[in-house]
C-alpha cells in the first residue's frame, strides 16, 4: 500500500492509492483483525466504532501535530481532516 502525492491544479495535492505487490491491502492490520487469539485487540477496535465489515479493510493511521499557538502548524488540524476523508473515501479504515 503506497500513497503517491501528485500535484493538482489550484494548489491542492491529490494522492493515488496503489495496492501492495502481493495484492493484499490489509497485510499488517490483519495480524490484529483476523486471528481469534487477538480477541482483546479486536474488542478495542469494536469499541472505537468499527464494525465486522471493517475488520477486513486496511487500516490507515492519521496523526496530526496540531498546535494553535504556532502559525506554522495552525493548518495541520484541517489538513488531517482532509486526509481522513480521503482514507474513508477509499473505503479504508
Amino acid at each position: 500500500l503506497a500513497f503517491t502525492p501528485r500535484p493538482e491544479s489550484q494548489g491542492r495535492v491529490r494522492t493515488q492509492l496503489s495496492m501492495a505487490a502481493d495484492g493484499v491491502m490489509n497485510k499488517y492490520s490483519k495480524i490484529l483483525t483476523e486471528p481469534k487469539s487477538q480477541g482483546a485487540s479486536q474488542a478495542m477496535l469494536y469499541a472505537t466504532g468499527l464494525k465486522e465489515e471493517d475488520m477486513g479493510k486496511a487500516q490507515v493511521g492519521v496523526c496530526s501535530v496540531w498546535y494553535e499557538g504556532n502559525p506554522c502548524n495552525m493548518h495541520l488540524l484541517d489538513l488531517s481532516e482532509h486526509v481522513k476523508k480521503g482514507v474513508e473515501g477509499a473505503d479504508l479504515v
Side-chain angles (χ1 to χ4, degrees), residues 1 6 8 15 22 24-25 34-36 38 43 48 50 53 64 77-78 87 90-91:
L1 177 63
R6 295 185 306 162
E8 196 174 60
T15 58
D22 58 6
V24 177
M25 290 286 288
E34 291 184 4
K36 296 212 181 287
Q38 291 294 324
T48 66
L50 295 184
E53 60 268 16
S64 171
L77 182 61
D78 291 335
V87 168
D91 200 29

Side-chain angles (χ1 to χ4, degrees), residues 20 22-39 41-42 45 54-60:
D22 58 6
V24 177
M25 290 286 288
N26 65 340
K27 180 177 180 178
Y28 299 105
S29 57
K30 73 179 182 179
I31 295 168
L32 295 178
T33 60
E34 291 184 4
K36 296 212 181 287
S37 63
Q38 291 294 324
S41 301
Q42 294 162 14
L45 293 171
D54 296 327
M55 292 298 172
K57 297 178 181 179
Q59 297 178 14
V60 179

Side-chain angles (χ1 to χ4, degrees), residues 1-4 15-19 25 90 92:
L1 177 63
F3 287 93
T4 308
T15 58
Q16 179 178 352
L17 182 65
S18 60
M19 193 173 298
M25 290 286 288
L92 303 173

Side-chain angles (χ1 to χ4, degrees), residues 45-78:
L45 293 171
Y46 285 120
T48 66
L50 295 184
K51 300 189 178 9
E52 182 68 31
E53 60 268 16
D54 296 327
M55 292 298 172
K57 297 178 181 179
Q59 297 178 14
V60 179
V62 178
C63 178
S64 171
V65 186
W66 172 75
Y67 173 56
E68 143 180 291
N70 181 338
C72 295
N73 298 331
M74 290 177 70
H75 69 291
L76 294 179
L77 182 61
D78 291 335

